[in-house]
């Protein structure tokens, strides 16, 4: 059931070739201008990578989750940033597993052909934060439509997406037995909504992530765009998201480790390579061991997911361990580079800022530990 690290050799060979056309200078310029890597995303789309999870009958390549994970890992490992488009892969899961046939026929071929971008996932809200069941955005049924009011925050890529997978409350929290009941997910046509009540405001962040605030003022969604009612729809999408983000963290960790080890061998101070000092070697070696352990968990989580098994604990652990490994590797890489770690042209400081996000999003480390304590170890719920 566990996926082997050598699987998807073709992906691991081809993705780096595509990424080679988008070197550090490309990302540095975008970073300075807070601009979206449209060319990079287009190249990935043209090569079919963004349709990896779409079944062949709808025009995609029908890869399992671990295939998408390999693509994202290789993107990060090559020094690029999959954050510009990774959502298309993890949002897809909810549509594939829970969407009805009419929805799949309507959306999937266009997404596979690159005519529609499904890049925005609207879950987080300013007042609810991690407590997803407390979201305040409502979708009220009126005839053959739902009318949406409320606000999302940190909705990444909203300005670069045609569709948003939106989480909204369809039954008030006071009227449901369990607080996670009464939540629904919809596919929102953002282009149509932008002239009918939807507004988007970019948020500048520590790294270049095209993230935004989104406001809904009586935005209408046709009832046929309801993908599913219930928290399980959200959760199954979140496990895919965690596994794919974990794969990205593995790629980041490998990039930092390779970069640090190479620099350690080449930089000479006191008449010998700095990498000859154990003080330089050990943090890099430790990060390598952390990365390899995390890799096993990522592959196990993906294997469980693909076999339709419960993978909540493994997906969470994979995300936490891989994010910790990439952060340890990032820290070791900056330290190995000394002052040069802070210079833009080495890309280390950019990747350092980018990988820091994964300690917080899409789920923070504290909440993963709480999940394990409660759901795996049977300890009392802490919140
Ligand atoms: C750049 C970026 C991109 C993002 N993209 C998206 C996106 O596309 N779509 C989307 O829906 N969301 C997105 N997010 C939101 C992200 O998922 C949230 O920021 C994250 O889930 C944490 O929520 P919060 O920021 O509201 O923090 P809070 O919930 O306010 O938490 C703040 C801190 O308190 C801790 N904390 C809270 N409760 C507990 C507790 N019970 N026990 C212990 N510690 C606790 C948290 O771990 C965290 O460290 C993005 C965020 C960022 C920064």
């Amino acid at each position: 059931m566990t996926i082997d690290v050598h699987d998807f050799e073709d992906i691991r060979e081809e993705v780096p070739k595509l990424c080679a056309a988008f070197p550090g200078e490309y990302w540095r310029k975008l970073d300075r201008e807070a601009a979206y890597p449209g060319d990079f995303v287009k190249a990935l789309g043209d090569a079919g990578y963004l349709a990896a999870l779409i079944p062949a009958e709808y025009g995609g390549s029908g890869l399992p989750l671990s295939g998408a994970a390999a693509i994202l890992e290789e993107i990060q490992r090559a020094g690029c940033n999959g954050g510009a488009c990774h959502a298309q892969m993890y949002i897809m899961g909810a549509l594939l597993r829970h969407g009805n046939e009419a929805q799949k026929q309507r959306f999937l071929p266009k997404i596979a052909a690159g005519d529609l971008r499904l890049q925005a996932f609207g879950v987080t809200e300013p007042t609810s934060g991690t407590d997803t069941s407390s979201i305040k955005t409502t979708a009220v049924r009126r005839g053959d439509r739902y009318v949406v009011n409320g606000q999302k925050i940190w909705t990444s890529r909203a300005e670069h997406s045609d569709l948003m997978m939106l989480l909204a409350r369809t039954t008030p929290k006071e009227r449901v037995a369990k607080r996670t009941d009464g939540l629904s997910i919809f596919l929102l046509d953002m282009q149509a909504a932008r002239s009918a009540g939807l507004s988007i405001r970019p948020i500048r962040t520590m790294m270049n992530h095209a993230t935004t605030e989104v406001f809904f003022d009586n935005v209408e969604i046709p009832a046929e765009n309801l993908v599913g009612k219930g928290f399980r729809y959200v959760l199954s999408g979140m496990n895919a998201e965690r596994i794919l983000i974990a794969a990205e963290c593995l790629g980041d960790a490998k990039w930092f480790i390779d970069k640090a080890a190479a620099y350690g061998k080449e930089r000479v101070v006191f008449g010998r390579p700095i990498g000859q000092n154990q003080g330089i070697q050990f943090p890099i070696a430790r990060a390598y061991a952390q990365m390899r352990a995390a890799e096993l968990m990522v592959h196990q989580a993906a294997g469980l997911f693909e076999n339709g098994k419960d993978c909540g604990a493994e997906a969470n652990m994979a995300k936490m361990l891989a994010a910790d490994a990439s952060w340890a590797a990032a820290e070791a890489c900056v330290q190995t580079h000394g002052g040069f770690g802070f210079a833009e042209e080495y890309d280390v400081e950019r990747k350092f800022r980018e990988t820091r996000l994964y300690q917080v999003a899409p789920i923070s480390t504290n909440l993963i530990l709480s999940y394990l304590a409660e759901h795996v170890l049977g300890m009392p719920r802490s919140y």
Side-chain angles (χ1 to χ4, degrees):
M1 189 165 292
T2 298
I3 285 144
D4 192 85
V5 67
H6 300 297
D7 284 348
F8 305 106
E9 255 176 55
D10 47 342
I11 287 175
R12 296 188 187 280
E13 248 177 68
E14 294 304 318
V15 171
K17 288 185 199 159
L18 184 153
C19 290
F22 301 92
E25 179 45 45
Y26 172 80
W27 296 99
R28 270 174 251 146
K29 185 166 183 295
L30 294 171
D31 195 62
R32 280 194 294 271
E33 296 167 0
Y36 185 72
D39 300 343
F40 174 69
V41 175
K42 181 168 183 337
L44 284 173
D46 290 348
Y49 291 122
L50 299 182
L53 293 176
I54 299 179
E57 69 258 38
Y58 302 105
S61 36
L63 291 180
L65 190 74
S66 49
I71 294 168
L72 291 174
E73 180 187 329
E74 293 304 324
I75 289 173
Q76 300 304 116
R77 188 180 192 171
C80 297
N81 191 355
C85 52
H86 54 197
Q88 182 135 315
M89 295 192 183
Y90 56 71
I91 299 174
M92 190 67 68
L95 178 57
L96 286 175
R97 274 189 308 283
H98 309 300
N100 60 39
E101 193 48 41
Q103 289 169 339
K104 291 183 191 175
Q105 295 283 0
R106 209 164 116 224
F107 294 113
L108 292 177
K110 287 190 184 146
I111 297 171
D115 298 334
L116 276 182
R117 298 162 300 171
L118 173 56
Q119 291 288 2
F121 195 24
V123 176
T124 311
E125 297 189 2
T127 56
S128 55
T130 312
D131 182 7
T132 305
S133 68
S134 296
I135 60 164
K136 296 205 167 65
T137 297
T138 53
V140 178
R141 179 95 192 224
R142 298 245 168 82
D144 62 351
R145 342 219 99 216
Y146 282 87
V147 179
V148 182
N149 281 290
Q151 185 197 341
K152 295 288 170 184
I153 192 168
W154 306 119
T155 314
S156 302
R157 302 158 300 273
E159 294 176 297
H160 307 280
S161 186
D162 302 298
L163 299 170
M164 177 194 290
M165 188 71 84
L166 171 71
L167 181 74
R169 195 160 260 296
T170 37
T171 312
K173 206 171 170 185
E174 313 73 70
R175 297 220 323 257
V176 290
K178 263 178 39 210
R179 61 201 186 129
T180 47
D181 290 346
L183 296 171
S184 302
I185 53 170
F186 297 87
L187 267 178
L188 167 70
D189 176 347
M190 294 179 73
Q191 300 306 342
R194 282 185 87 156
S195 54
L198 181 88
S199 47
I200 303 174
R201 192 186 298 157
I203 307 175
R204 282 193 76 100
T205 50
M206 161 171 139
M207 67 294 168
N208 186 17
H209 202 84
T211 198
T212 71
E213 280 179 288
V214 180
F215 301 85
F216 302 85
D217 180 11
N218 288 318
V219 172
E220 295 193 352
I221 305 182
E224 70 216 34
N225 284 25
L226 173 73
V227 177
K229 282 190 171 185
F231 202 58
R232 70 192 173 94
Y233 296 111
V234 184
L235 285 182
S236 76
M238 285 180 173
N239 284 335
E241 182 181 39
R242 276 160 210 182
I243 294 167
L244 292 174
I245 297 286
E248 290 192 314
C249 291
L250 292 180
D252 276 348
K254 290 178 186 184
W255 184 89
F256 284 118
I257 290 165
D258 289 350
K259 189 104 175 162
Y263 190 76
K265 285 185 258 182
E266 143 208 323
R267 170 76 169 165
V268 174
V269 178
F270 295 112
R272 57 184 193 159
I274 56 167
Q276 205 174 328
N277 300 302
Q278 290 182 330
I280 290 290
Q281 291 174 353
F282 286 3
I284 305 171
R286 183 180 292 277
Y288 177 79
Q290 283 179 263
M291 177 277 289
R292 290 295 304 275
E295 191 171 53
L296 292 175
M297 187 57 78
V298 174
H299 293 155
Q300 186 175 34
L304 290 168
F305 183 93
E306 285 170 12
N307 284 283
K309 302 262 195 285
D310 181 12
C311 65
E314 288 77 9
N316 272 296
M317 287 189 285
K319 153 66 180 57
M320 184 185 84
L321 295 172
D324 284 353
S326 75
W327 185 234
E331 179 60 25
C333 192
V334 169
Q335 202 65 21
T336 302
H337 279 76
F340 293 106
F342 297 82
E344 254 184 29
E345 66 172 292
Y346 284 75
D347 294 312
V348 173
E349 61 83 35
R350 173 178 60 81
K351 293 282 283 180
F352 181 85
R353 287 182 280 118
E354 286 170 2
T355 215
R356 180 62 178 82
L357 174 65
Y358 300 119
Q359 295 288 324
V360 171
I363 176 84
S364 74
T365 302
N366 276 2
L367 269 292
I368 291 178
L369 293 171
S370 299
Y371 176 93
L372 295 175
E374 182 186 341
H375 296 281
V376 179
L377 304 178
M379 297 167 84
R381 185 177 173 87
S382 61
Y383 55 91

